[in-house]
Amino acid sequence: MNLMKSFQSEDPHYADVCIVGAGPGGVLLSYLLHLKGISTLLIERQPHLHKSFRGELLNADGLAVLKKHGLYSPIQKLGLLPLEQIQYWEEGRIIHTIHPNPDKGEHDVGVHVPQNHLLEAITAQTEIQSPLHQVRFNTVMTGLLRDKSGKVAGINVRQNGVPSSIKASVVVGADGRYSAVRKHASLTPEIRKHGYDLLWARIPAPPGWEPAVRMASMEGQQLALFSQYGGYVQIGWNIPEGGYAELRKQPFAPFVGKLVSAFPCLADSVAAHIQNWSDFVLLSVESSYSSQWAKDNVVLIGDAAHTMTPTGAFGLNAALEDADVLSELLIQMAQDDFRSADVLHKLQTIRGPKVQQQLARQVEMEASFQQRYESYSSAII
Ligand SMILES: Cc1cc2nc3c(=O)[nH]c(=O)nc-3n(C[C@H](O)[C@H](O)[C@H](O)COP(=O)(O)OP(=O)(O)OC[C@H]3O[C@@H](n4cnc5c(N)ncnc54)[C@H](O)[C@@H]3O)c2cc1C
């Protein structure tokens, strides 16, 4: 392993590995590489790690990665919320409940973790390992730096508006669904629309609400509520794809009245916090899959390689799993000073099949939602 270079990680213009994007995938990868003494730079275009309206539900896969690397308890100290059940509601009452199965080792149906808690806890652990480490904020990747032979030799950036470059042996695109690394490496994703968009809102939960996922079917579309750490509830309301402009022409009160009729106990909180269309955030829903995740010494992880829809809450967890696997491959590459870039293709070989299964599962869950709902509903009549 190239430990000499790891002592040079203070060099602002060089790293063995340059990671673009301090989301869950990038932050975890940076931690795992610092643990092994690999010189790593993590750049982020935002000025901080505080993000809102991101995937915040950890499933068993994501939890396993965090626990494997001793990261669960630092995150738990900042605050997280295990969810106890999934409830299906109709006309203001519960018609079906799914509990975790302790015989299968399940203790919850998912864990809500505010994304800033996840990112800050992992970053703090990285700083303990490598005190000089800092996420380089306000730094936007603007292109790939190439040597005379055309080989990627790093990235071009704009840091606080000033252009500069970072040389690196490997460039990791952990820069999300609209990845600049993917674009500059000409790795084209196949994009799929899913027939729906999503309205999001976050409001205080009614007092005494148990931590749960609550579902309702609203005119055949899924309406989901997720209890969140800190006493909040996240609302995810599917609407027909491209239909928001039309929806906004309608009066607001009857629309939001449907939310209250599905979950009457939300009435006070909705009245206080959702008063017009601007209290919702629109997410245009799509998934994507890059047929190639690596090219020469550039590799993609997380949403940059495969964006998922919010269904089933796979995306955050998949990004953590990618980072875990890629860290092992980069540690292997460090043995020969990062010359064997072919190793990077193994990421897709190892992770691709599971990601494709999850993408297919999302389509299946989306298509069968209404049918599943009707079967729960008819079972209680
Ligand atoms: C509304 C919504 C709800 C979701 N709900 C869930 C859920 O409950 N559970 C779940 O598992 N997943 C969920 N997801 C998906 C989840 O948020 C993503 O899959 C996950 O965040 C992907 O992590 P990532 O590290 O790959 O990328 P991201 O989290 O997207 O992070 C990418 C980072 O790169 C930075 N960046 C981008 N371009 C550049 C550039 N040019 N230069 C420098 N930095 C750059 C961005 O600022 C960002 O910080 C949801 C997604 C959305 C949008």
Side-chain angles (χ1 to χ4, degrees):
M1 193 179 305
N2 188 4
L3 287 175
M4 281 310 288
K5 280 185 181 165
S6 73
F7 289 111
Q8 295 170 14
S9 59
E10 316 90 87
D11 180 346
H13 302 294
Y14 177 79
D16 283 339
V17 180
C18 179
I19 305 169
V20 181
V27 160
L28 178 63
L29 181 63
S30 172
Y31 169 70
L32 296 175
L33 297 182
H34 275 97
L35 264 188
K36 296 290 176 184
I38 294 176
S39 85
T40 305
L41 275 178
L42 174 58
I43 71 154
E44 168 57 49
R45 68 179 171 190
Q46 302 289 349
H48 48 63
L49 295 173
H50 291 255
K51 304 173 191 181
S52 54
F53 295 112
R54 292 302 184 98
E56 297 194 328
L57 202 60
L58 285 164
N59 65 22
D61 293 336
L63 286 168
V65 172
L66 295 173
K67 286 181 179 167
K68 172 177 157 191
H69 297 294
L71 292 167
Y72 184 76
S73 79
I75 298 169
Q76 192 176 28
K77 279 188 193 133
L78 291 188
L80 46 72
L81 180 71
L83 306 187
E84 293 163 3
Q85 46 185 252
I86 303 174
Q87 302 169 351
Y88 288 80
W89 287 56
E90 191 171 71
E91 290 169 8
R93 67 199 171 117
I94 301 171
I95 56 167
H96 185 75
T97 306
I98 296 174
H99 298 276
N101 183 347
D103 294 341
K104 290 189 183 163
E106 295 170 3
H107 304 292
D108 51 63
V109 296
V111 174
H112 174 254
V113 56
Q115 203 173 100
N116 58 325
H117 289 189
L118 178 98
L119 300 178
E120 278 171 13
I122 300 177
T123 305
Q125 291 304 307
T126 313
E127 280 162 20
I128 291 170
Q129 292 304 324
S130 186
L132 290 171
H133 162 78
Q134 279 181 346
V135 182
R136 203 170 294 174
F137 290 113
N138 287 317
T139 306
V140 187
M141 184 267 192
T142 54
L144 290 169
L145 181 70
R146 293 185 185 270
D147 65 15
K148 282 184 190 143
S149 69
K151 188 180 167 226
V152 171
I155 59 170
N156 294 317
V157 296
R158 238 187 8 257
Q159 185 170 5
N160 295 313
V162 180
S164 67
S165 57
I166 296 169
K167 289 190 178 148
S169 302
V170 176
V171 173
V172 180
D175 50 344
R177 50 164 46 195
Y178 304 115
S179 172
V181 174
R182 185 181 66 200
K183 184 180 118 201
H184 289 288
S186 304
L187 293 168
T188 318
E190 198 177 299
I191 294 172
R192 175 177 198 150
K193 298 300 274 182
H194 287 249
Y196 71 98
D197 291 329
L198 197 62
L199 294 183
W200 281 97
R202 190 170 94 121
I203 58 174
W209 246 25
E210 68 269 35
V213 179
R214 295 169 173 81
M215 300 280 190
S217 174
M218 188 54 66
E219 293 156 4
Q221 300 276 6
Q222 179 176 303
L223 173 59
L225 308 185
F226 301 90
S227 296
Q228 292 199 322
Y229 172 81
Y232 289 93
V233 54
Q234 177 90 53
I235 301 163
W237 193 341
N238 293 9
I239 58 168
E241 182 184 320
Y244 190 48
E246 207 45 47
L247 192 62
R248 283 187 69 135
K249 288 182 192 154
Q250 296 173 24
F252 183 70
F255 177 74
V256 86
K258 293 179 198 171
L259 171 61
V260 175
S261 68
F263 299 103
C265 34
L266 277 188
D268 290 347
S269 192
V270 168
H273 299 278
I274 307 187
Q275 286 157 358
N276 54 55
W277 293 110
S278 59
D279 291 323
F280 283 109
V281 172
L282 174 71
L283 171 70
S284 158
V285 173
E286 63 184 33
S287 63
S288 75
Y289 188 83
S290 241
S291 58
Q292 215 185 323
W293 297 11
K295 192 169 173 186
D296 304 324
N297 47 351
V298 177
V299 62
L300 307 175
I301 60 171
D303 274 20
H306 46 73
T307 306
M308 302 195 177
T309 74
T311 304
F314 295 123
L316 155 67
N317 300 278
L320 296 175
E321 287 186 280
D322 286 357
D324 186 26
V325 172
L326 182 60
S327 71
E328 296 292 333
L329 299 175
L330 289 168
I331 291 162
Q332 257 180 50
M333 279 182 80
Q335 312 288 338
D336 77 345
D337 212 6
F338 298 92
R339 275 188 280 270
S340 43
D342 277 359
V343 171
L344 297 175
H345 290 286
K346 288 193 191 164
L347 176 66
Q348 187 171 4
T349 311
I350 297 168
R351 291 277 306 132
K354 181 168 175 183
V355 166
Q356 283 186 309
Q357 255 177 26
Q358 289 173 330
L359 286 164
R361 176 96 184 97
Q362 292 193 312
V363 174
E364 191 186 298
M365 285 168 79
E366 286 158 3
S368 64
F369 175 74
Q370 186 56 21
Q371 206 182 349
R372 250 182 309 138
Y373 220 97
E374 281 162 15
S375 74
Y376 296 147
S377 179
S378 59
I380 59 154
I381 290 169

